[in-house]
Amino acid sequence: TTIKMLTGLLQPDAVMATVLGEDCLRAAHRLRHRVGYVPERPRFYEWMRVHEVGWFTSGFHHPGFLGRYQQLVKRFQLDPKAKLKHLSKGQYAKVALALALAPDPEVLILDEPTSGLDLLVRREFLSSLIELAGEGRTVLISSHQIAEVERVASHVAFVSHGKLLLAATAEELRQRVV
């Protein structure tokens, strides 16, 4: 629910949700060029090839998207000619991440990004998130995998049934638990 509000897909009931100082609902169109989003189960046109989904998606974005997407495809070692329906779950996740990063977003929102990935792909994916944060991006991860989040997060928030239970830096949380 929180992610749907932050991406402008759901109107908040009682409060206003903001990202980068803008109302997520009212500024949803502008924010789509500043916020990258990878859903828990991304879905693309399965008959497309890796390069085709980038070309198709570039029509909805500012100039430069396609070139950045192509660079990310190369960086993630994806075959541009591969059909999406033939990709492994890890490769499919990399396509989703490349599409989310191609607009060069200031904020990246990931919903259960490592769900179903094997151990090696999971490690590689988490390492790339650390690199992205190191580049100055804000990376928001929604995950039930506490051990994974602990390795990559600087701040942690626990939410249950729409209520914020705890928000702290990862270090403050470690000190509370020890």
Side-chain angles (χ1 to χ4, degrees):
T1 303
T2 302
I3 289 176
K4 286 181 181 177
M5 287 188 279
L6 294 175
T7 55
L9 299 173
L10 181 67
Q11 182 172 351
D13 290 338
V15 298
M16 182 175 78
T18 62
V19 171
L20 299 169
E22 298 207 51
D23 180 306
C24 294
L25 195 60
R26 287 193 173 89
H29 179 70
R30 277 193 312 279
L31 285 171
R32 280 194 177 84
H33 301 288
R34 300 176 68 197
V35 177
Y37 171 55
V38 179
E40 182 175 0
R41 287 185 286 281
R43 294 287 172 245
F44 308 117
Y45 295 117
E46 297 287 320
W47 50 267
M48 284 187 170
R49 298 180 187 281
V50 171
H51 71 89
E52 291 170 332
V53 74
W55 172 83
F56 174 77
T57 307
S58 71
F60 302 99
H61 289 279
H62 296 283
F65 176 96
L66 186 56
R68 285 189 296 274
Y69 174 77
Q70 291 166 339
Q71 289 172 343
L72 289 160
V73 164
K74 186 179 276 188
R75 176 177 162 195
F76 294 156
Q77 299 176 351
L78 293 166
D79 178 1
K81 295 178 184 173
K83 286 203 174 194
L84 296 174
K85 68 181 172 185
H86 297 305
L87 298 179
S88 69
K89 185 160 184 162
Q91 291 168 323
Y92 207 89
K94 287 178 181 181
V95 170
L97 185 60
L99 289 169
L101 289 172
D104 197 25
E106 298 164 63
V107 174
L108 183 62
I109 299 174
L110 306 168
D111 189 5
E112 297 288 348
T114 60
S115 174
L117 300 181
D118 68 50
L119 183 62
L120 293 177
V121 173
R122 188 178 294 214
R123 277 192 189 146
E124 180 184 332
F125 193 86
L126 291 170
S127 293
S128 68
L129 296 182
I130 293 169
E131 287 176 33
L132 293 170
E135 293 171 4
R137 296 177 208 278
T138 298
V139 181
L140 185 143
I141 303 170
S142 172
S143 179
H144 292 89
Q145 303 296 324
I146 303 299
E148 286 182 359
V149 173
E150 181 182 32
R151 290 190 1 233
V152 299
S154 62
H155 292 74
V156 178
F158 291 94
V159 178
S160 178
H161 303 291
K163 302 266 190 244
L164 178 64
L165 301 178
L166 173 69
T169 67
E171 186 55 37
E172 289 169 345
L173 193 59
R174 280 187 206 96
Q175 290 173 1
R176 281 185 175 190
V177 173
V178 175

